Amino acid sequence: MIGTGYVGLVTGACLADLGHTVVCVDRDSEKIDALSAGRVPVYEAGLEALATKHLESGDLSFTTDIQEAVSKSQFVFITVDTPPDETGRADITRVEEVARSIAGSINDYKVIINKSTVPIGSTKMVQRIIEESMEEYREYDVVSNPEFLREGTAVSDFMDPSRIVIGSDSQKAVMLLTELYRGLDAPLFVTDPVSAEMIKYASNAFLATKVTYINAIANLCEAVGADVREVALGMGYDERIGFEFLKPGPGFGGSCFPKDCRALLAISRDHGYDFDLLEGVLEVNREQHERTVAKVERLSGGLKGRKVGVLGLAFKANTDDVRESPAVRVTKMLMERGAHVTAFDPRAMDNARPELPGAGFAESAYEAVEDADVLVLLTEWDEFKWLDYERVRGLMARPLIVDARNCLDPVVLRKLGFTYEGVGR
Ligand code: UDX
């Protein structure tokens, strides 16, 4: 496993759990030392336990020596990050470097698997780089095998996937990879490499579109007096629509959706296609942040000098990740308009601190809302649903709540004397 980021660690630990012997490689020796001592740098449910278990059994190990790891392995996964460049395109410099390093260590037949989200055509490109960098020809195949792991549930997503997508022109590689994934009960979808690469982008952009669609419907529900939660339920019974991904909020975020939508737009532009629909999705998503801020502003009668208690900074619940977090974006905008923010998040405060200079950080949700003019709930952590809102009411200067995730019960809150605003209800 080359690259011990989020995807590499989850895939490595899970493959060890399926009974394979896994070596994870990273050039960052401090990281490798920490991992070898059982310290997993990301917060992901079940990952540390799984890694520790297989570290102890010897099925999982960590090294900086890519040559040794590759030469001893039958399968080589490329799981390095592909951050966006200034044009939104995925930067594949690291993938190229890794491909060159792998080439020198191919001693017998190997399946090289591209798991990183890469531009269309990258599987072929990796193949070309390896071919050019090889000193003596050895047999190998390069395969596209995109991951669909969600943060927070990545281990169970790996163990119980919706599908396994393999993009390859080599029957031998497909058969071996099928063998590797034996033990996972999921449809196996074999296709060509370019289509496999497209499946990843098309899936993420579709899900981002779905969230954006329900956000737009929520906005309309507010105007006409409908309840978006009822509307989403009524829609979901249609199997073609389904119940998932119809929760409105402050806009989608995270390390994948915004980046992949922008990358797919760049790919479209490069190929002369105007993907106006996707352009619109990103625009509506930006507006959704703005709408959330406007709601707080309206409810509190202007933001200048107001004290705002923010609950939630992670881009969604059950993660410490704040990358492209709508909660952080909204908090920033509240501060830019003169609000004094005190924020609390159960996991993401350390990551959020550098993003929010000038904000106060509380030790608890109750501390965050002390003397606040308005409470703004931005991430749907369970613990926010079960706060003692009578106590919250007593702590706040004014009883105003903007619930940007529809987590709370407006009837209960109104009885307690709050003015409540959700999304689309
Ligand atoms: C996503 C994809 O789901 C996963 O398949 C891919 O491999 C990586 O990207 P992730 O970014 O971890 O996973 O989060 P996800 O749970 O999909 O949520 C993405 C964003 O959409 C979050 O900001 C979330 O709050 C938002 N969202 C999701 C909603 O606002 N409403 C919904 O109904 C669902």
Side-chain angles (χ1 to χ4, degrees):
M1 199 69 54
I2 319 293
T4 59
Y6 195 79
V7 174
L9 282 176
V10 172
T11 310
C14 289
L15 283 176
D17 207 51
L18 288 183
H20 304 297
T21 309
V22 182
V23 188
C24 293
V25 185
D26 206 290
R27 57 180 177 180
D28 180 346
S29 58
E30 269 178 41
K31 199 171 178 187
I32 290 299
D33 290 344
L35 284 164
S36 302
R39 289 193 302 277
V40 174
V42 291
Y43 168 71
E44 180 63 44
L47 181 59
E48 195 157 277
L50 206 62
T52 311
K53 178 176 159 200
H54 294 292
L55 200 58
E56 279 165 10
S57 72
D59 290 333
L60 182 66
S61 57
F62 298 93
T63 180
T64 51
D65 188 343
I66 185 166
Q67 261 73 32
E68 200 197 345
V70 172
S71 60
K72 284 186 178 163
S73 301
Q74 185 175 16
F75 300 91
V76 182
F77 284 82
I78 305 180
T79 54
V80 294
D81 58 339
T82 51
D85 65 16
E86 52 302 331
T87 66
R89 289 169 179 81
D91 177 355
I92 50 159
T93 326
R94 286 275 290 126
V95 176
E96 291 169 335
E97 280 169 25
V98 167
R100 274 188 282 275
S101 312
I102 292 172
S105 311
I106 301 183
N107 44 2
D108 51 15
Y109 177 74
K110 294 192 192 301
V111 186
I112 293 143
I113 302 128
N114 219 341
K115 248 199 188 311
S116 305
T117 305
V118 287
I120 312 294
S122 298
T123 308
K124 286 236 162 61
M125 179 219 64
V126 168
Q127 197 150 4
R128 206 185 49 243
I129 292 177
I130 294 179
E131 203 166 299
E132 286 167 4
S133 320
M134 249 178 178
E135 285 178 10
E136 188 182 339
Y137 182 78
R138 308 266 187 191
E139 199 193 352
Y140 68 94
D141 281 306
V142 184
V143 168
S144 166
N145 173 219
E147 54 80 21
F148 303 100
L149 308 173
R150 286 166 300 175
E151 288 185 29
T153 52
V155 172
S156 55
D157 285 348
F158 183 96
M159 294 300 188
D160 187 18
S162 52
R163 75 288 206 196
I164 296 170
V165 173
I166 301 178
S168 173
D169 300 321
S170 155
Q171 193 172 1
K172 184 174 178 181
V174 173
M175 279 168 60
L176 285 166
L177 207 50
T178 308
E179 199 58 38
L180 186 81
Y181 284 128
R182 187 188 290 275
L184 297 182
D185 184 16
L188 188 72
F189 185 70
V190 179
T191 183
D192 61 278
V194 176
S195 300
E197 290 161 352
M198 186 53 116
I199 286 168
K200 171 72 187 190
Y201 283 114
S203 300
N204 275 354
F206 180 81
L207 291 170
T209 305
K210 196 172 178 188
V211 173
T212 305
Y213 182 80
I214 203 65
N215 281 338
I217 292 294
N219 299 341
L220 195 52
C221 283
E222 287 177 7
V224 302
D227 184 338
V228 70
R229 292 168 327 134
E230 300 293 312
V231 174
L233 264 178
M235 286 166 68
Y237 281 105
D238 185 329
E239 282 178 5
R240 293 169 303 174
I241 298 173
F243 295 105
E244 298 295 318
F245 267 74
L246 289 180
K247 286 199 199 78
F252 63 78
S255 65
C256 285
F257 284 0
K259 162 175 85 68
D260 289 353
C261 286
R262 287 194 292 266
L264 189 55
L265 269 178
I267 291 165
S268 305
R269 252 178 258 122
D270 290 347
H271 290 81
Y273 176 65
D274 289 328
F275 202 156
D276 292 340
L277 176 65
L278 194 54
E279 200 93 65
V281 165
L282 286 174
E283 181 52 33
V284 172
N285 200 48
R286 274 190 290 272
E287 284 168 17
Q288 199 67 10
H289 305 147
E290 179 60 44
R291 272 186 79 93
T292 310
V293 175
K295 214 173 253 178
V296 182
E297 188 160 34
R298 196 169 4 90
L299 196 66
S300 50
L303 284 169
K304 221 168 174 49
R306 298 281 184 220
K307 289 183 82 169
V308 180
V310 163
L311 300 188
L313 294 167
F315 83 95
K316 63 172 186 180
N318 306 317
T319 175
D320 64 355
D321 200 341
V322 297
R323 282 176 289 175
E324 305 235 17
S325 168
V328 169
R329 185 92 25 109
V330 167
T331 305
K332 231 181 231 167
M333 287 161 77
L334 290 168
M335 284 164 42
E336 279 160 12
R337 292 184 203 178
H340 301 298
V341 170
T342 305
F344 173 74
D345 187 287
R347 289 272 176 188
M349 298 222 282
D350 287 346
N351 289 336
R353 242 181 221 108
E355 306 274 324
L356 294 169
F361 291 90
E363 294 288 319
S364 71
Y366 295 111
E367 194 189 317
V369 300
E370 249 175 59
D371 293 327
D373 293 299
V374 54
L375 179 165
V376 186
L377 195 159
L378 291 171
T379 312
E380 70 287 18
W381 287 98
D382 272 338
E383 70 167 80
F384 299 152
K385 297 175 192 164
W386 303 110
L387 293 176
D388 174 353
Y389 278 93
E390 201 166 350
R391 181 175 165 202
V392 170
R393 166 85 179 80
L395 288 168
M396 290 178 70
R398 292 164 72 199
L400 308 175
I401 294 187
V402 173
D403 174 9
R405 293 281 187 172
N406 286 348
C407 281
L408 309 176
D409 186 340
V411 177
V412 172
L413 292 172
R414 281 178 190 138
K415 261 198 199 130
L416 289 172
F418 282 103
T419 303
Y420 170 94
E421 278 215 41
V423 192
R425 58 200 298 207

